[in-house]
Amino acid sequence: MRRPPGPGSPLHRRLEDLVRRLGPSHLHPDPLEVVREYRGRADREVAGLLAAGLAFGGVETILRSVRAAAAPLGPRPAEALAGTGDRDLRRALRGFRHRWVDGDDAAALLAAARRLREEHGSLEAAFLAGDPGGETVEGGMEAFAAALRAADPGFARRGAAGFFAAPSGGSACKRSALYLRWMVRPGPVDTGAWRGVDPARLVIPLDTHLSRVTRRLGLLRRRTGGWKAVLEATAALRRLCPEDPVRYDFPLLRVGMAERVPGRLPAGEEEGSPGVTETGRVSMRRPIPASPFRRPLAALA
């Protein structure tokens, strides 16, 4: 059985080249761009929890939903959340909907975040309080999901528990892994808002599209998704960068996006430009910077 690509391999060199060339200007469309609009660490961890919790479905819908759900908290969401009670949260988010998530569900997630911040001082401290350590953040993710469930105010049908799964359930826990990537990894793309978690312990936020990309590149052999696939793909990436295995998540994500839009691009865009929809239209009517790669997977494989 062929081993995953190692340090110094053509794949490793190409990924490193993409890391150097891809930056914040290539972020759109991504819910992280909303999180980065806030400057303070406390604001970013609150906005990031909301954005990661809503990071499912089409990206244009995600961006609209994240902005709509965050709008009642204004420019300083951490401070606003601390001063907003459950009733006011529910009132502010009345009528909100993101696929099956309604306003009460979003309010419950924010209320749980407020309770954890009141108890621990920050969401980072709440995560660290339950994190047993280890090679990966698996134990911390499990404990953080349990802490959110315990802090749920109980007024919503799904509530806080519906946003972030626990690894023990066997799912890929993509939204939890995505939130941790945003918070833990330093820039230029991620926020580095949390300083107490080692990036070496992060796991890749694996979804259907990224699973396809990692399989084609020899980083994942498992044919089914779930937590075991997350650990396998992360282990393969750790061979390339032990101190920061999720370093390549953003480039791989952009490769996957570009691969899904063959040949139908606006005038002047390179083939494979990130952020172009499958109909050939630019997402959110915002200019997309030219991609630093052409024929993405073929170039990496």
Side-chain angles (χ1 to χ4, degrees):
M1 183 177 293
R2 189 177 59 148
R3 296 184 67 190
S9 64
L11 174 63
H12 186 206
R13 292 195 298 271
R14 184 60 173 144
L15 286 174
E16 282 295 326
D17 180 59
L18 287 175
V19 167
R20 288 189 293 270
R21 299 171 68 184
L22 284 169
S25 64
H26 295 95
L27 191 57
H28 182 78
D30 192 300
L32 178 56
E33 67 188 76
V34 181
V35 181
R36 287 175 52 90
E37 290 172 2
Y38 302 98
R39 306 312 303 169
R41 293 169 58 190
D43 292 329
R44 285 181 165 185
E45 73 166 12
V46 170
L49 189 75
L50 185 60
L54 296 172
F56 60 96
V59 67
E60 294 185 26
T61 302
I62 293 170
L63 285 170
R64 284 193 295 267
S65 294
V66 171
R67 292 190 186 281
L73 297 178
R76 296 182 178 177
E79 180 180 329
L81 182 60
T84 306
D86 293 354
R87 181 178 300 178
D88 289 335
L89 281 174
R90 298 180 72 182
R91 183 182 300 113
L93 289 166
R94 186 177 298 144
F96 171 83
R97 180 163 291 277
H98 176 71
R99 301 189 70 181
W100 57 80
V101 170
D102 62 21
D104 272 358
D105 293 322
L109 176 62
L110 289 172
R114 187 191 63 234
R115 285 167 166 76
L116 290 181
R117 285 177 51 79
E118 288 171 350
E119 180 180 354
H120 298 281
S122 69
L123 292 176
E124 179 184 16
F127 179 88
L128 291 173
D131 181 16
E135 184 179 37
T136 73
V137 290
E138 179 175 356
M141 291 170 68
E142 188 80 24
F144 192 62
L148 283 170
R149 287 196 301 272
D152 191 301
F155 54 69
R157 288 181 301 161
R158 297 176 182 85
F163 289 90
F164 295 99
S168 60
S171 75
C173 302
K174 176 226 173 175
R175 284 175 278 173
S176 298
L178 189 64
Y179 179 57
L180 290 176
R181 194 205 92 191
W182 291 350
M183 294 299 106
V184 171
R185 291 198 70 255
V189 173
D190 298 302
T191 72
W194 290 7
R195 312 290 173 79
V197 181
D198 188 348
R201 300 176 59 219
L202 293 175
V203 296
I204 191 167
L206 198 66
D207 61 11
T208 301
H209 304 302
L210 199 54
S211 294
R212 177 180 57 82
V213 172
T214 52
R215 287 190 190 100
R216 288 186 62 180
L217 296 178
L219 299 169
L220 177 64
R221 296 190 181 92
R222 186 175 296 273
R223 304 308 302 173
T224 57
W227 187 249
K228 290 182 179 179
V230 170
L231 295 179
E232 180 185 330
T234 301
L237 291 169
R238 190 176 292 114
R239 292 188 71 231
L240 302 180
C241 188
E243 69 277 10
D244 187 11
V246 186
R247 172 180 176 84
Y248 307 115
D249 177 53
F250 181 63
L252 288 172
L253 177 65
R254 281 298 178 261
V255 166
M257 289 181 69
E259 186 75 1
R260 296 201 301 277
V261 289
R264 302 192 67 182
L265 303 175
E269 288 294 332
E270 259 189 276
E271 182 178 0
S273 292
V276 182
T277 68
E278 292 181 351
T279 62
R281 288 159 47 190
V282 178
S283 299
M284 303 297 286
R285 300 181 180 178
R286 177 171 163 181
I288 307 298
S291 168
F293 42 77
R294 301 174 69 91
R295 302 183 60 79
L297 287 183
L300 286 177

